[in-house]
Amino acid sequence: MPSFPAPRLAEIAPFHVMELMARAKALEAEGRDIIHMEVGEPDFPTPEPVISAARACIESGRVFYTPALGLPELRAAIAAFYAVRYGVDVAAERVVVTAGASAALLLTFACLAAPGSEWLLTDPGYPCNRHFIRCFEGVPVPIPVGPESNFQPTVAHLSAHWNIRSAGALFASPANPTGTVLDGEELRAIAEFIRQNQGQLIIDEIYHGLSYDRPEQTALHCGDDIFVVQSFSKYFNMTGWRLGWMVVPERFARDIEKLAQNLYISPSLPAQRAALAAFTPATIDILEARRAEFRRRRDFLAPALENLGFRIAARPEGAFYLYVDCRNLTADSEAFAHALLESAGVAVTPGIDFGSHAARQHLRFAYTTGVERLAEAVERIRHFLG
Ligand SMILES: Cc1ncc(COP(=O)(O)O)c(C=O)c1O
């Protein structure tokens, strides 16, 4: 007898932060002032040149399907972006435009995951990753990581977790929820380890462009056999446009194209036309000013939270998150997050959204609001802590 929903659904977890956000909204409806530090998206509006490009597209009325892998001119613009920003040569034929990094990850595992194949991920890490894998009957294998390795994987971790069923790994740099960056040499060694074991490495670079301390290196420097996932959501401040991309090894481009054709036909045309304006000097100037603002926020918030008794054990070099150790202040970060929202009107994300390794000892603070609001949040937390 069939059983519905499919058994895999039992392993698809909701976002805990959604409940917190719902409660925050309810409190706001009652007239409470809530400071949102749980939100994983930039608070800045879409840059004006991007809006103008979208407007022109829509006003033309010529809003049709595009090729499944995206507009050729956008794929070429993305390839050119890699040449200009990173000095790396990427053929436009390897660029796949998608509905956000989310669709890129979906296509990746639809293409690569065989039933029972094991995929290494970090714990803590981006919660949806294990679900993408599970949806295609693969098995997500968490690697517990902590401050001793900067919350990033090492080759030693890979050797300890690799077995006959292992198919590959997905890691992010800068990472969500920690903002830490995978060291260039370690990344090279990880790529080589996976190559030697005939596996597939996927690197999520969605927070590229939002690094504050040193120049960024793309994993594409480590070989043309790596899947690199990117998006217009974060650095480009375009979350709601639902557009991203990935660079795939040449031998998978045709398979990915077949999947995209069947799964959603093509990415949104207005979003793609808009994104063509994302690489222009006028837009990059706007984005670089915003990057500087994010850095200012991080440099304000990190020491302020440490003064309150939180510990930031690994240097958050990028993204817009601080993953703080709260064990000096509470034994249960989830209960703490709920109490903080109710009493102080400050919304943050509990560690359990990102895995189970030391999750109840951690909270994620997103600095996706201005410095004045961050300062107000710090004062409210100080008062909450008594
Ligand atoms: C690490 C990571 N990867 C992928 C995504 C998906 O982003 P999008 O689909 O908006 O590009 C997110 C969103 O927060 C993320 O944090």
Side-chain angles (χ1 to χ4, degrees):
M1 211 171 50
S3 112
F4 303 119
R8 72 176 79 93
L9 262 293
E11 287 167 51
I12 309 292
F15 256 135
H16 295 279
V17 73
M18 290 297 179
E19 277 165 46
L20 209 101
M21 282 167 88
R23 182 66 190 137
K25 289 264 176 295
L27 290 173
E28 278 174 331
E30 289 167 17
R32 290 274 303 276
D33 173 45
I34 306 297
I35 304 179
H36 291 278
M37 300 175 77
E38 83 284 28
V39 180
E41 63 181 339
D43 50 322
F44 300 110
T46 302
E48 180 50 43
V50 174
I51 296 173
S52 299
R55 198 179 284 129
C57 167
I58 292 169
E59 281 171 0
S60 77
R62 304 192 56 76
V63 184
F64 301 116
Y65 290 140
T66 75
L69 296 184
L71 286 174
E73 53 269 51
L74 181 56
R75 297 170 71 198
I78 292 169
F81 179 68
Y82 279 102
V84 171
R85 187 158 275 221
Y86 301 98
V88 57
D89 204 13
V90 173
E93 293 69 36
R94 291 174 56 206
V95 176
V96 179
V97 180
T98 56
S102 301
L105 290 164
L106 199 66
L107 290 176
T108 298
F109 287 107
C111 178
L112 300 176
S117 60
E118 293 188 3
W119 295 86
L120 302 180
L121 306 169
T122 59
D123 177 356
Y126 179 56
C128 304
N129 288 340
R130 65 179 192 277
H131 299 138
F132 291 125
I133 295 167
R134 189 63 193 87
C135 279
F136 295 101
E137 304 295 339
V139 180
V141 176
I143 301 176
V145 291
E148 61 291 341
S149 66
N150 208 22
F151 289 98
Q152 287 286 357
T154 62
V155 174
H157 285 128
L158 261 70
S159 334
H161 286 83
W162 199 268
N163 66 47
I164 190 86
R165 294 176 301 280
S166 302
L170 163 60
F171 302 129
S173 177
N176 180 4
T178 57
T180 64
V181 169
L182 190 46
D183 172 72
E185 280 312 303
E186 197 67 49
L187 174 57
R188 207 170 276 283
I190 286 172
E192 189 51 33
F193 176 93
I194 292 188
R195 200 171 285 132
Q196 295 285 324
N197 286 282
Q198 278 90 48
Q200 182 60 57
L201 178 61
I202 305 149
I203 298 290
D204 181 340
E205 298 188 344
I206 187 169
Y207 292 102
H208 260 234
L210 297 172
S211 294
Y212 311 113
D213 298 325
R214 49 180 165 154
E216 293 173 319
Q217 279 193 355
T218 168
L220 294 168
H221 277 302
C222 301
D224 52 16
D225 55 353
I226 301 171
F227 277 65
V228 170
V229 173
Q230 244 285 25
S231 181
F232 289 97
S233 285
K234 310 292 177 166
Y235 172 66
F236 295 96
N237 303 169
M238 292 173 64
T239 46
W241 296 81
R242 307 310 303 130
L243 204 69
W245 75 83
M246 63 178 166
V247 179
V248 302
E250 198 182 334
R251 72 184 176 109
F252 291 115
R254 178 67 187 137
D255 294 316
I256 295 286
E257 183 175 21
K258 285 190 298 185
L259 282 164
Q261 288 167 341
N262 283 283
L263 292 181
Y264 55 77
I265 302 184
S266 82
S268 147
L269 175 64
Q272 292 186 77
R273 289 260 174 244
L276 275 167
F279 301 111
T280 59
T283 305
I284 297 290
D285 283 353
I286 295 169
L287 299 177
E288 285 301 309
R290 292 174 179 181
R291 184 218 298 248
E293 173 59 17
F294 274 128
R295 182 194 177 131
R296 196 165 81 88
R297 294 173 181 183
R298 179 200 64 172
D299 293 348
F300 164 77
L301 187 62
L305 292 179
E306 284 175 324
N307 275 338
L308 294 176
F310 296 101
R311 220 162 58 84
I312 303 173
R315 188 163 173 72
E317 289 188 59
F320 32 64
Y321 307 118
L322 298 177
Y323 195 59
V324 308
D325 183 327
C326 55
R327 77 188 78 197
N328 290 338
L329 304 169
T330 176
D332 181 356
S333 58
E334 187 186 16
F336 185 91
H338 282 280
L340 188 64
L341 175 63
E342 296 294 333
S343 332
V346 177
V348 300
T349 311
I352 51 164
D353 257 345
F354 308 104
S356 55
H357 177 58
R360 296 209 174 262
Q361 285 82 54
H362 287 87
L363 291 165
R364 188 191 74 177
F365 286 75
Y367 41 95
T368 44
T369 186
V371 169
E372 300 69 31
R373 291 291 276 169
L374 297 177
E376 163 77 16
V378 168
E379 284 320 304
R380 289 190 195 181
I381 299 170
R382 190 190 311 284
H383 189 252
F384 172 76
L385 294 171

